[in-house]
Amino acid sequence: MLKKAAILDSDFIIKTSLTRNSKNENLSDIVLKLPYSFYCHEQNRAEVTDHEQFASTWLDKNIAAKIITCISDLQILQIIKDSYQISQNVAVKFYADWLKQACDVFTTSFYEKNYTDLEALRTKSEIISDEEFILAVQSGDTRIGHDNNLGEIKDTVLAIALTQCLQMKCINFCSDDKRARRSLLSFSVNESFPINSISYMGFYWVAKQKKLLNKEEATDYLSGWKKNCKPFETNATIKEHINRKQPDYPKRDIDNLFDAIWNDEVVMMNDGYLIYKTELSE
């Protein structure tokens, strides 16, 4: 049985950290009760730090306590080298291939346009130093920018490394935004690649199934979210025959979806989206 790794996206961390019940307890602590090994790419840690101080403090505390493992691009490179017993230069090619694979989900020119320095390292005959690798990756990251799905791209590279190198099953705790989720969705709909996705609303379904929360407790948390944060709609449920990679999912109101979760009217698909049971038979 594959060991389970949970990859925490910045959007998911911020939303669950800001979701506090009437006792001022945050939902993100309930997430950590799941029997997974928790990971966060350093890019998402940076994004959390930039956007929300409370969530940043929560994340830093759990990284310091070794409950969440923060992984850098250089550490991913080391995982590749150790797993395949290959040289630094070959490992850089693996990393570049996986990064291109993640970028191509957004646009096929994303990698070629932004990671020219990393691509140039492919042909280098001399040993590539750690510093050269880091600088090449960082130059591409800077061109993309933090608000252009960079965190989701790095989540995907981390997920590929954990599944391919460490033989782990990855669950991506991710954004409700369909464009931001596209990178992981391209893998989670492929049954040969063991990644599932769980969004903010999807976690309430998981918490019910795992008996982490009862309805009263969950309602208390959701009320706290609506009090502290602006309301949002969620790309939560879709008909089975709709291509999940397309940007035309019908949106559901969170209150209606929440009731459907606790009335056992929805199930979670492999890609993390919730779907009404009535739609499964259509």
Side-chain angles (χ1 to χ4, degrees):
M1 187 174 183
L2 294 176
K3 185 177 179 181
K4 292 182 179 180
I7 298 177
L8 301 174
D9 177 74
S10 58
D11 184 79
F12 185 87
I13 292 170
I14 291 171
K15 282 181 178 177
T16 53
S17 295
L18 293 179
T19 301
R20 303 188 193 102
N21 63 14
S22 56
K23 299 177 182 178
N24 205 35
E25 299 166 333
N26 48 306
L27 188 63
S28 49
D29 286 330
I30 304 297
V31 175
L32 296 182
K33 292 183 179 181
L34 289 167
Y36 304 151
S37 297
F38 290 92
Y39 293 87
C40 175
H41 191 281
E42 66 174 0
Q43 174 60 37
N44 282 292
R45 184 181 191 179
E47 291 179 6
V48 171
T49 300
D50 288 344
H51 288 94
E52 219 297 307
Q53 184 56 52
F54 182 86
S56 176
T57 300
W58 177 88
L59 180 59
D60 289 346
K61 178 189 71 175
N62 283 287
I63 289 172
K66 301 187 184 305
I67 296 172
I68 299 172
T69 302
C70 185
I71 298 286
S72 68
D73 293 302
L74 187 59
Q75 287 172 310
I76 291 176
L77 188 70
Q78 190 64 48
I79 289 171
I80 296 170
K81 288 169 57 179
D82 292 344
S83 175
Y84 295 128
Q85 293 295 295
I86 54 178
S87 68
Q88 176 97 336
N89 288 35
V90 176
V92 168
K93 292 179 181 179
F94 268 88
Y95 178 92
D97 285 341
W98 293 347
L99 181 60
K100 183 179 185 303
Q101 193 176 0
C103 287
D104 283 353
V105 175
F106 294 92
T107 172
T108 53
S109 63
F110 222 36
Y111 176 84
E112 288 81 359
K113 179 181 177 181
N114 297 298
Y115 289 100
T116 53
D117 293 347
L118 180 61
E119 188 63 17
L121 291 181
R122 284 181 180 273
T123 58
K124 184 175 180 179
S125 57
E126 298 86 358
I127 296 175
I128 300 169
S129 69
D130 289 347
E131 183 179 8
E132 285 178 298
F133 169 74
I134 293 170
L135 290 175
V137 173
Q138 287 178 344
S139 68
D141 293 350
T142 301
R143 293 189 185 102
I144 290 177
H146 286 198
D147 295 323
N148 205 7
N149 301 122
L150 183 58
E152 286 77 17
I153 290 171
K154 294 303 181 78
D155 281 344
T156 304
V157 177
L158 174 58
I160 296 173
L162 294 178
T163 55
Q164 300 298 313
C165 296
L166 302 184
Q167 303 301 304
M168 302 181 81
K169 175 179 174 58
C170 287
I171 299 95
N172 184 47
F173 288 80
C174 59
S175 169
D176 283 281
D177 177 66
K178 54 183 173 291
R179 186 174 187 272
R181 295 185 66 185
R182 193 182 303 168
S183 188
L184 262 294
L185 280 175
S186 69
F187 298 109
S188 61
V189 296
N190 180 354
E191 292 184 359
S192 66
F193 198 81
I195 295 176
N196 284 8
S197 297
I198 299 173
S199 67
Y200 174 83
M201 287 304 296
F203 177 70
Y204 285 101
W205 185 88
V206 172
K208 179 179 184 294
Q209 301 301 314
K210 300 292 186 182
K211 302 187 187 312
L212 297 176
L213 296 172
N214 58 40
K215 185 176 182 179
E216 182 180 356
E217 292 167 334
T219 301
D220 193 16
Y221 277 110
L222 190 64
S223 296
W225 163 258
K226 290 188 290 185
K227 183 187 302 181
N228 294 328
C229 307
K230 65 180 181 179
F232 70 99
E233 291 180 315
T234 177
N235 298 294
T237 81
I238 56 173
K239 292 182 180 295
E240 177 68 9
H241 64 272
I242 294 177
N243 186 337
R244 281 176 275 252
K245 299 179 195 176
Q246 298 305 313
D248 57 353
Y249 321 115
K251 290 187 175 182
R252 309 292 188 185
D253 176 84
I254 60 171
D255 289 315
N256 292 337
L257 179 60
F258 183 84
D259 289 339
I261 289 171
W262 292 96
N263 292 333
D264 290 320
E265 296 172 358
V266 295
V267 293
M268 184 177 287
M269 308 303 290
N270 286 340
D271 56 17
Y273 276 100
L274 296 166
I275 183 169
Y276 282 91
K277 292 179 179 178
T278 54
E279 294 177 345
L280 286 172
S281 58
E282 292 183 7

